[in-house]
Amino acid sequence: MTIAVIDYGMGNLHSVAKALEHVTHENVVVTRDARRIRGATRLVLPGQGAIRDCMGELEKTELRGLVEELLASQDKPLLGICVGQQMLLDHSEENGGIGCLGFLRGEVRKFPGDMRDDRDNRLKVPHMGWNLVHQHHDHPLWKGIDQDEHFYFVHSYYVEAADDATVFGTTDYGRVSAHVAIGRDATFAVQFHPEKSSRAGLQLLENFVQWAP
Amino acid sequence: MGLAKRIIPCLDVDAGRVVKGVNFIGIRDAGDPVEIAQRYNQQGADEITFLDITASHEDRDTTVEMVERIAGEVFIPLTVGGGIRSCDDIRTMLNAGADKVSINTAAVTNPDFVYEAAERFGSQCIVVAIDAKKVSAEGEPDRWEIFTHGGRRPTGLDAVEWARKMVAYGAGELLLTSMDRDGTKVGFDLGVTRAIADAVSVPVIASGGVGNLDHLVDGVIEGGADAVLAASIFHFGEYTIPEAKRYMANHGIEMRL
């Protein structure tokens, strides 16, 4: 039993690995080795920074084909986090427009810059901090997590999925309702950082480790 | 209901111990960083900031080890600052488990470093620490200037202009400390907090001068801060994090309770 955190060179993967190790005795590896990724029982696709760089590194490390193949087969659970969620869509507005993996229908959009709160303070972008996640459909990964629980976010772009059946959670920021948890079959992906979301985040990771889709 | 304002307890760490000075002088021991971080995590702190105030290289290794130990136990965002001067320093701290690094003096001496760091690691993990002091005299329009070296060295840089520049260079967040308030317990400098919060698009953390819970409320409501940072009111048990959060929520501030 091995959980592989796919390391294509973007971002800090230690936090994810440490949080997984905290909730399971299964072996957690951070790797870019295709054989080890194929051999794993579960996969985590993280992502941080600009999506152009993430997609670029995925190409450069020759992992794009493997990730696409694994997404197509859906034979093991995969958890996407942050840009790892955004990459699953068709396309992102970031960096002048970037084609993504197209596993789920939809777009990644930029938060408008002119949003204000009810005290007329400017709403900051990145959307950074703890915000409420509203669960839409039931999902094994929501087990033991309260409706409208706080999770930790850091992002300037958000997902707008085309098919409501793929949307499992939303978060409101200004006039935007971002699709912050999406998925189908054995794939689930979140915009927030479960590894940084204290008890609720660890619960979600534990649910992922126990998930048998 | 929406994005919560954050409470960030700050650990000033010297040679592996949490300390707290008054106006950067007069150090008082507050305990073991890992224990304190765990306590704040259990109490519901939204983030933890770890400021390494040690000078020597040997103590720097102790810091890395501390960050590793905290990151293995505490699953909320962890920012590490103090002595971050190169991309290697950033890499070391991120590898040790930090989520963000805070750049202070190095941003002043070499602003391009902020740009490079944001390009390489992403703006989301680059916090620029701004130490500002009010320099306008009574009766003059308010003006604040950037100081380095623990508030001893003026730079001639206007704080609001500097904040804008750092965001343009890629800072994902600003940690604003009022140097004349730090350690005094008379409250944040709300003028500079509001001026910078209104001037930039990224979140601003207010720091320096918290002595009671009304100061935290003021920082958010009057100062427009997205997060408030405090040390001594929490370290020495005057207030707990849940008390502070409930107090702020009772004043109409969105909090994660």
Side-chain angles (χ1 to χ4, degrees), chain A residues 12 14-15 18-19 22 48-49 119 121-122 124-125 127-131 150 152 154 173 195-198 202, chain B residues 2-4 46-47 68 75-77 94-96 98-100 124 173 194 197-198 200-202 226 252 256:
Chain A
N12 174 9
H14 295 260
S15 300
K18 277 183 170 164
H22 196 79
Q48 219 172 48
R119 284 193 194 93
N121 287 323
R122 164 180 198 171
K124 302 303 176 81
V125 177
H127 171 229
M128 181 187 285
W130 298 79
N131 204 339
H150 280 103
Y152 185 80
V154 190
Y173 191 51
E195 75 281 11
K196 288 290 145 189
S197 295
S198 197
L202 293 175
Chain B
L3 184 67
D46 297 308
E47 251 177 84
E68 274 174 358
F75 299 101
I76 57 175
L94 295 180
N95 282 345
D99 300 289
K100 314 180 203 177
Q124 81 288 337
E173 195 172 29
R194 173 53 78 178
D198 284 346
V200 299
S201 56
V202 304
D226 301 280
R256 167 182 159 255

Side-chain angles (χ1 to χ4, degrees), chain B residues 55-252:
Chain B
S56 78
H57 267 288
E58 303 80 71
D59 288 342
R60 205 57 84 186
D61 295 338
T62 313
T63 302
V64 172
E65 195 193 301
M66 286 289 160
V67 171
E68 274 174 358
R69 284 176 54 208
I70 293 174
E73 304 279 340
V74 173
F75 299 101
I76 57 175
L78 175 64
T79 302
V80 179
I84 302 288
R85 292 188 184 87
S86 67
C87 283
D88 282 347
D89 292 338
I90 297 176
R91 169 65 58 207
T92 302
M93 288 308 174
L94 295 180
N95 282 345
D99 300 289
K100 314 180 203 177
V101 293
S102 165
I103 303 174
N104 192 344
T105 308
V108 176
T109 51
N110 177 19
D112 287 338
F113 171 48
V114 172
Y115 180 80
E116 279 164 40
E119 275 286 298
R120 181 146 160 212
F121 303 101
S123 290
Q124 81 288 337
C125 65
I126 304 300
V127 182
V128 170
I130 294 182
D131 292 344
K133 235 187 221 187
K134 194 167 184 175
V135 290
S136 47
E138 202 73 37
E140 281 179 1
D142 285 343
R143 209 175 74 78
W144 299 270
E145 194 178 310
I146 303 297
F147 279 70
T148 59
H149 298 81
R152 291 189 301 277
R153 196 173 296 180
T155 62
L157 297 164
D158 177 78
V160 178
E161 283 313 306
W162 178 248
R164 281 206 186 95
K165 179 171 173 176
M166 286 297 95
V167 173
Y169 275 49
E173 195 172 29
L174 300 177
L175 167 54
L176 171 65
T177 303
S178 162
M179 301 306 294
D180 10 49
R181 299 299 178 92
D182 203 56
T184 62
K185 299 190 155 239
V186 298
F188 298 121
D189 182 332
L190 298 172
V192 70
T193 308
R194 173 53 78 178
I196 290 180
D198 284 346
V200 299
S201 56
V202 304
V204 172
I205 306 165
S207 153
V210 175
N212 62 47
L213 301 183
D214 284 315
H215 294 154
L216 301 179
V217 171
D218 292 343
V220 171
I221 292 183
E222 290 180 39
D226 301 280
V228 287
L229 180 140
S232 50
I233 62 162
F234 299 127
H235 294 340
F236 301 111
E238 284 163 74
Y239 302 101
T240 64
I241 306 268
E243 271 175 321
K245 286 189 153 185
R246 221 162 289 126
Y247 192 83
M248 292 172 79
N250 288 342
H251 284 75

Side-chain angles (χ1 to χ4, degrees), chain A residues 3-15:
Chain A
I3 303 169
V5 179
I6 301 174
D7 173 18
Y8 54 94
M10 283 307 290
N12 174 9
L13 311 177
H14 295 260
S15 300

Side-chain angles (χ1 to χ4, degrees), chain A residues 180-208:
Chain A
V180 299
I182 56 173
R184 71 169 163 87
D185 304 321
T187 293
F188 195 81
V190 292
Q191 178 66 67
F192 51 82
H193 289 270
E195 75 281 11
K196 288 290 145 189
S197 295
S198 197
R199 195 205 59 81
L202 293 175
Q203 180 69 55
L204 188 136
L205 292 176
E206 195 179 327
N207 293 344
F208 172 66

